[in-house]
């Protein structure tokens, strides 16, 4: 592939919320033991934990108000990059559909904050891990928000969202909560613990540039004309979030949507920044890739985007210019020579050697960004 892929890569983990030095303890013996231990020198991080909490709280509050009011300016104050592009597209479609947006709430954050020495200059980044605050949210799932500060004194804004499971799976519990997890399918097995430095800062991967190359390999594999997609790749562990995605696209092109030719192409999402790659306790690194996927349908037959279909197809219909989407059970409009752009985010475990494994992906339920086409 020509050129060097510069994609947004991001990782998340549980980190200490403060750096402990030598302090007073109750009792003389405790004081003596504390004095005998070498102190941990404070580590300068790109943002303090207290400030990160303020950033997160501001984001949650502003986002909630923007969702309720379908307020584009409200989102722009606290989001940037791929995440803002998704929100603006949802607002446009929901206004045309005259539909509300149930976007969920995030609570109980923990933070993964890099050291200043590892992020000299700007942009700077940190990660917030949080739980969903809904009865249908999976208690094992952690939302992973990636915050960015573009320049000194600029507001911190959320740029990318993904999900991981960080606790073991319980036997007999069904976990298909992709709807609650913003359309993400998440691997049942939890991610390994994240490695941190002595001062609580995120320990970054020493092979970060090589780790990020997985995004380019994933994009190359997933760019094909269905139903001719390759269902196997030496670079990735087979499964529902990798080979299964190709199989689903091939099957759809085989007749489910009456498509003659469907071409999909992946490219790095616009407006993102390069985020750190953090080491995991099992020696792997966790990389999140943000893409724009462009689908093109051509041929002698038409395609429809039924309400309630995979990938927010009702939103696609109104973005195409059909006006308000039909109510449940109504007739969807038919389109020819259609182009749809989607926001796709994939999180991968990357070993030093061997194939990468997908941890989370909204590949089957991506966010539509824009659409154009000719009506039948």
């Amino acid at each position: 592939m020509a050129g060097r892929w510069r994609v947004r890569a991001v990782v998340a983990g549980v980190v200490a919320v403060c750096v402990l030095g030598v302090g007073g303890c109750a009792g003389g013996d405790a004081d003596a033991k504390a004095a005998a231990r070498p102190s941990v020198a404070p580590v300068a991080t790109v943002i303090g934990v207290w400030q990160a909490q303020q950033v997160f709280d501001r984001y949650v509050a502003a986002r909630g108000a923007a969702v309720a009011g379908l307020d584009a300016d409200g989102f722009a104050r606290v989001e940037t990059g791929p995440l803002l592009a998704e929100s603006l597209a949802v607002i446009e479609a929901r206004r045309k559909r005259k539909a509300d947006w149930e976007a969920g709430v995030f609570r109980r954050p923990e933070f993964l904050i890099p050291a200043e020495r590892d992020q000299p200059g700007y942009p700077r980044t940190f990660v917030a891990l949080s739980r969903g605050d809904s009865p249908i949210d999976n208690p094992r799932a952690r939302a992973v928000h990636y915050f960015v500060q573009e320049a000194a004194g600029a507001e911190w804004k959320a740029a990318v969202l993904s999900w991981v499971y960080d606790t073991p799976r319980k036997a007999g519990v069904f976990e298909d909560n992709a709807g609650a997890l913003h359309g993400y399918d998440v691997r049942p097995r939890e991610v390994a613990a994240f490695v941190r430095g002595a001062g609580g800062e995120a320990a970054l991967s020493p092979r970060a540039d090589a780790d990020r190359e997985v995004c380019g390999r994933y994009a190359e594999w997933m760019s094909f004309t269905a139903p001719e997609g390759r269902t196997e790749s030496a670079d990735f562990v087979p499964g529902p979030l990798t080979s299964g995605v190709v199989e689903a696209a091939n099957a759809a092109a085989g007749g489910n949507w009456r498509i003659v030719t469907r071409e999909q192409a992946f490219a790095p999402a616009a407006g993102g920044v390069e985020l750190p790659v953090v080491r995991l306790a099992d020696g792997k690194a966790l990389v999140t890739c943000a893409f724009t996927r462009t689908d093109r349908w051509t041929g002698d037959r038409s395609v429809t985007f039924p309400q309630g279909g995979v990938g927010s197809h009702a939103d696609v219909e109104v973005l195409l210019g059909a006006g308000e989407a039909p109510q449940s059970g109504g007739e969807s409009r038919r389109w020819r020579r259609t182009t749809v752009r989607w926001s796709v985010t994939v999180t991968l475990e990357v070993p030093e050697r061997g194939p990468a494994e997908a941890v989370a992906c909204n590949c089957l339920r991506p966010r539509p960004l824009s659409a154009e086409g000719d009506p039948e």
Side-chain angles (χ1 to χ4, degrees):
M1 182 171 292
R4 185 180 183 87
W5 280 76
R6 305 299 289 176
V7 297
R8 286 123 308 271
V10 64
V11 294
V14 177
V15 298
V17 297
C18 61
V19 178
L20 298 179
V22 176
C25 301
D29 289 343
D31 286 339
K33 291 178 182 178
R37 292 195 300 267
S39 62
V40 176
V43 174
T45 53
V46 297
I47 188 173
V49 173
W50 180 76
Q51 290 90 346
Q53 180 72 58
Q54 287 188 314
V55 169
F56 181 83
D57 290 345
R58 173 178 175 268
Y59 169 71
V60 170
R63 177 179 178 275
V67 167
L70 296 180
D71 179 9
D73 291 338
F75 275 109
R77 284 190 286 271
V78 293
E79 290 184 348
T80 188
L83 194 56
L84 177 60
E86 291 182 11
S87 296
L88 296 181
V90 172
I91 286 175
E92 179 183 354
R94 297 304 166 91
R95 282 176 175 170
K96 291 180 178 179
R97 289 175 57 190
K98 299 181 174 61
D100 295 331
W101 182 8
E102 297 180 5
V105 179
F106 304 101
R107 294 283 186 261
R108 294 174 289 161
E110 295 183 60
F111 303 106
L112 179 64
I113 304 176
E116 281 189 347
R117 64 173 181 266
D118 296 324
Q119 282 193 351
Y122 292 86
R124 291 181 168 183
T125 63
F126 76 90
V127 178
L129 305 170
S130 59
R131 304 284 185 192
D133 194 27
S134 165
I136 64 173
D137 285 327
N138 191 310
R140 295 180 57 217
R142 282 256 176 135
V144 187
H145 281 94
Y146 316 120
F147 286 87
V148 175
Q149 185 186 38
E150 295 286 355
E155 294 285 358
W156 286 88
K157 297 183 178 182
V160 180
L161 168 66
S162 187
W163 292 83
V164 299
Y165 287 147
D166 64 344
T167 57
R169 186 178 188 179
K170 294 183 179 180
V173 177
F174 182 66
E175 295 185 333
D176 184 16
N177 281 338
L181 303 183
H182 293 248
Y184 276 78
D185 293 285
V186 184
R187 185 190 67 184
R189 189 175 76 256
E190 71 277 11
V191 296
F194 289 82
V195 181
R196 292 179 283 116
E201 76 282 8
L204 304 187
S205 171
R207 57 179 195 271
D209 287 344
D211 293 332
R212 293 186 185 103
E213 291 177 359
V214 72
C215 298
R217 293 194 294 271
Y218 186 90
E220 184 176 12
W221 182 27
M222 292 293 165
S223 297
F224 58 85
T225 298
E228 300 173 359
R230 295 181 294 111
T231 57
E232 296 182 359
S233 170
D235 293 321
F236 298 93
V237 175
L241 306 185
T242 49
S243 55
V245 175
V246 179
E247 292 169 358
N250 285 343
N256 289 349
W257 291 348
R258 301 178 62 201
I259 299 170
V260 173
T261 301
R262 175 178 176 270
E263 176 189 359
Q264 65 179 40
F266 277 68
V273 298
E274 186 175 275
L275 300 179
V277 178
V278 173
R279 290 188 288 132
L280 301 175
D282 58 5
K284 299 176 183 177
L286 201 68
V287 177
T288 291
C289 312
F291 299 111
T292 298
R293 190 186 86 198
T294 302
D295 293 356
R296 293 182 175 87
W297 288 270
T298 58
D300 297 329
R301 302 176 75 179
S302 58
V303 59
T304 62
F305 298 91
Q307 186 175 20
V310 172
S312 302
H313 288 161
D315 286 354
V316 173
E317 178 138 348
V318 296
L319 290 174
L320 280 166
E324 187 175 356
Q327 298 300 312
S328 179
E331 181 67 21
S332 297
R333 198 165 182 178
R334 297 188 179 278
W335 302 89
R336 296 182 184 274
R337 293 179 294 279
T338 305
T339 300
V340 181
R341 296 170 60 252
W342 312 84
S343 179
V344 178
T345 305
V346 184
T347 298
L348 300 145
E349 282 182 345
V350 183
E352 186 173 2
R353 296 180 181 84
E357 182 172 358
V359 171
C361 180
N362 66 343
C363 307
L364 299 176
R365 302 169 178 84
R367 289 285 195 189
L369 297 175
S370 66
E372 58 186 24
D374 299 328
E376 187 176 65

